[in-house]
Amino acid sequence: MRKKIRNYMLQYHMVEKEDCILAAVSGGADSVCLFLLLCALREEFGFTLCVVHVEHGIRGAESLRDAAFVEELCRKYEIPCKIFHCRALAYAREKRMTVEEAARELRYRFFEEAAKEFGAGKIAVAHNQNDCAETMLFHLTRGTGLRGLCGIPPVRGKIIRPLLCVMRQEIEAFLESEGQKFCTDRTNEELLYTRNKIRHQVMPLLTQINTNVVPHMNQTAEFVAEALELIQELGRGAYDKYVHQKHQGICIRQGLMQEPSAIQRALLHKVLAEALGSSKDISNIHVQQILELFARQSGRVAELPRGILAQRIYEGILLRKKGEGIPSGLPRSIKLLPEGSTEVLSYGCKINTRLLKKNPENEEIPKKMYTKWFDYDKIKGTMQLRTRQEQDYLVIDAEGRRKKLKKYFVDEKIPSCQRDQILLLSDDTHILWIIGYRISEDVKVTEHTRRILEIRVDGGEQSE
């Protein structure tokens, strides 16, 4: 056992000479095993050891007994120990978390505090192969991508997991051979918690199918982690190509949709983590929301965790904080000429126009979202790019019936917070085109059209 752990720690470069390692010891079998093995390997690796224990205030006298057990164990081996006491139930109620989530957050907060106090650069926790397999199943039942199937990594930042190469049975056998006692947490047997159901009901059934299910699942987790690492590397290469900062937020260009799906997802996960400040609350659902937004009209918005919005713009997708978005319109209306190119900087797009003498032979009227044909001779006065005004309307059928722009927005279920941001093309009388949506019926090209005005909206990598 000692040799196996030693080699695993070397394989993943978990420690270096003169490191100070903080071991998280709950008093349970896994953490006591971790403690004994680190004590045994101290001299060979040349590191110093210290211990932290967090008493969550959940199990009353039993919880205090575990803290006293850890304190006595450290005294026996002359290892410095820091005990923290907290009230996880009250914290869970205050933060509106589950007790499991609250206990974990408090635990790792105290780990960091103890590491700082001891000057420890590494924090050793006692996850084993069974924990990894159970975590994979937990993520799988909730819905996950490749990241969730990686299980538990051997090293993440300053967290190291030396026992991740052994199963729970090996740990218990080692403690028995050493004659070492440990504490038993009765809540680990309760089936109220999802993880306990997986541990005590699902895993035994899988073990009946194949006794090697735990090591096989851990091997799969390693393979998935290798594949994810490659995909993430390709995603980092795509980052410079498709992502850039705008003063309103982070812009992801439309061209990303030309890349393989795996790269799209990897890049979007990375950008989301950047926008949110961490990857903690990001799930596959949020990535899927953005992917679907790429296929929708400009101005559409999806809400993401921590007050972040994903907004469809002409250039692609803008990630921004709620309330700090694209200007609610143009600083002024912009005159549009029938021939030329006009930049609309606040929208990150360019409007290209050209006149065609007649319908080009064998060419169909464009049915694209951002390229439209108009009967130029039916346009009255000056064309303008602007946002909505009172009394705006468009013509909705060949009989000339009108619809107020406000009612159109309501019928299309466009949120009121987005309506002032939608770019419009108008003439001196009415709306010609709600850009990204429909054009007015009375300016559509017919067999009687003599001059066609083609208008194309381009934005960065915008393609249709």
Side-chain angles (χ1 to χ4, degrees):
M1 180 83 158
R2 170 176 166 168
K3 183 177 179 181
K4 192 173 185 179
I5 301 300
R6 170 192 176 276
N7 291 339
Y8 191 69
M9 292 176 70
L10 286 171
Q11 179 186 351
Y12 287 98
H13 311 287
M14 291 189 182
V15 295
E16 297 177 1
K17 192 174 182 180
E18 298 183 358
D19 270 348
C20 178
I21 297 180
L22 175 70
V25 182
S26 67
D30 298 345
S31 65
V32 170
C33 176
L34 174 68
F35 173 80
L36 293 181
L37 288 166
L38 290 177
C39 282
L41 291 168
R42 278 183 298 168
E43 189 174 341
E44 180 181 351
F45 279 105
F47 61 79
T48 57
L49 184 64
C50 50
V51 164
V52 61
H53 173 88
V54 180
E55 189 270 307
H56 297 97
I58 296 174
R59 295 178 292 121
E62 187 179 304
S63 185
L64 295 171
R65 180 208 67 189
D66 293 352
F69 171 85
V70 172
E71 203 165 22
E72 178 58 31
L73 183 66
C74 291
R75 188 179 296 114
K76 177 181 175 181
Y77 283 85
E78 298 180 338
I79 301 296
C81 175
K82 179 73 177 180
I83 307 288
F84 289 97
H85 299 273
C86 62
R87 295 291 174 263
L89 285 171
Y91 187 79
R93 286 193 293 268
E94 179 189 344
K95 299 295 182 180
R96 297 183 179 179
M97 296 175 166
T98 66
V99 177
E100 288 176 292
E101 290 171 336
R104 185 185 186 280
E105 184 169 301
L106 287 169
R107 198 160 53 243
Y108 277 86
R109 181 189 299 176
F110 289 128
F111 291 174
E112 290 288 343
E113 188 175 329
K116 186 176 181 181
E117 184 175 324
F118 285 119
K122 305 284 177 63
I123 301 172
V125 293
H127 294 117
N128 58 55
Q129 286 195 342
N130 294 70
D131 293 317
C132 182
E134 291 158 11
T135 297
M136 291 175 72
L137 287 176
F138 181 74
H139 289 160
L140 195 59
T141 56
R142 296 175 67 192
T144 187
L146 292 180
R147 191 179 305 275
L149 294 179
C150 292
I152 303 173
V155 177
R156 176 178 287 160
K158 65 172 66 174
I159 302 294
I160 61 173
R161 298 181 171 93
L163 300 189
L164 210 53
C165 61
V166 295
M167 293 191 294
R168 192 167 290 129
Q169 299 94 307
E170 296 176 82
I171 290 170
E172 291 170 356
F174 170 77
L175 292 175
E176 186 176 352
S177 70
E178 294 289 313
Q180 175 63 57
K181 294 181 180 180
F182 55 87
C183 302
T184 301
D185 184 346
R186 59 181 169 79
T187 62
N188 287 336
E189 305 299 319
E190 296 174 358
L191 298 181
L192 297 173
Y193 303 110
T194 302
R195 287 184 180 272
N196 286 354
K197 289 179 182 178
I198 292 172
R199 175 174 298 178
H200 298 300
Q201 294 181 328
V202 179
M203 291 305 299
L205 288 174
L206 293 177
T207 303
Q208 289 178 25
I209 297 170
N210 189 323
T211 55
N212 289 318
V213 63
V214 170
H216 286 171
M217 289 179 70
N218 276 261
Q219 187 177 54
T220 297
E222 289 181 20
F223 292 156
V224 173
E226 290 172 1
L228 181 61
E229 186 177 354
L230 174 60
I231 292 169
Q232 287 176 330
E233 182 61 34
L234 294 172
R236 284 189 285 271
Y239 185 94
D240 291 340
K241 185 176 181 182
Y242 299 115
V243 179
H244 70 281
Q245 296 285 340
K246 298 172 78 75
H247 70 274
Q248 305 101 335
I250 303 172
C251 179
I252 309 162
R253 294 189 175 101
Q254 181 76 23
L256 175 64
M257 294 298 97
Q258 300 166 6
E259 299 290 344
S261 175
I263 294 177
Q264 293 175 17
R265 291 181 178 277
L267 185 143
L268 291 176
H269 194 281
K270 175 178 170 59
V271 177
L272 274 174
E274 184 179 324
L276 270 63
S278 83
S279 60
K280 180 175 179 283
D281 296 324
I282 301 171
S283 72
N284 190 51
I285 293 172
H286 304 126
V287 172
Q288 189 62 36
Q289 279 181 288
I290 297 179
L291 287 171
E292 292 173 359
L293 202 58
F294 271 107
R296 304 189 71 186
Q297 297 102 328
S298 180
R300 293 300 174 98
V301 171
E303 292 202 17
L304 301 171
R306 302 188 200 174
I308 296 295
L309 298 180
Q311 180 171 347
R312 184 69 165 94
I313 60 174
Y314 301 104
E315 195 171 353
I317 301 294
L318 181 72
L319 297 182
R320 62 180 178 85
K321 290 184 179 179
K322 192 179 291 186
E324 297 182 9
I326 292 174
S328 60
L330 300 172
R332 55 183 174 78
S333 63
I334 298 176
K335 182 178 179 181
L336 197 66
L337 300 175
E339 295 272 4
S341 180
T342 302
E343 285 197 55
V344 187
L345 295 177
S346 58
Y347 282 75
C349 67
K350 183 182 290 186
I351 313 292
N352 298 290
T353 57
R354 62 171 180 157
L355 278 177
L356 309 173
K357 291 291 184 181
K358 59 181 180 179
N359 195 338
E361 191 175 351
N362 299 323
E363 189 172 344
E364 292 186 4
I365 295 174
K367 296 179 180 178
K368 299 177 180 179
M369 189 181 298
Y370 293 107
T371 301
K372 298 295 181 186
W373 278 4
F374 302 82
D375 187 327
Y376 183 63
D377 294 303
K378 294 179 180 177
I379 294 173
K380 310 298 182 185
T382 303
M383 292 186 296
Q384 300 176 66
L385 292 167
R386 59 174 176 82
T387 51
R388 66 173 178 166
Q389 298 174 359
E390 286 293 328
Q391 308 306 318
D392 273 342
Y393 71 89
L394 67 161
V395 177
I396 59 171
D397 58 29
E399 284 69 46
R401 283 194 286 259
R402 301 176 178 184
K403 178 180 281 193
K404 290 276 191 179
L405 183 63
K406 181 177 180 179
K407 179 166 174 46
Y408 175 84
F409 285 159
V410 171
D411 291 345
E412 290 296 308
K413 298 181 173 57
I414 298 171
S416 58
C417 62
Q418 298 174 26
R419 297 172 191 174
D420 285 330
Q421 300 173 5
I422 293 176
L423 194 59
L424 307 171
L425 174 69
S426 72
D427 64 7
D428 288 347
T429 60
H430 67 307
I431 300 301
L432 305 176
W433 184 15
I434 306 169
I435 296 178
Y437 296 83
R438 65 163 294 172
I439 70 172
S440 197
E441 193 74 24
D442 62 329
V443 290
K444 284 186 175 180
V445 170
T446 69
E447 67 272 16
H448 303 298
T449 297
R450 294 185 302 108
R451 291 187 294 173
I452 297 170
L453 172 66
E454 180 185 83
I455 304 180
R456 188 181 77 251
V457 180
D458 293 326
E461 297 288 330
Q462 174 71 43
S463 59
E464 299 180 274

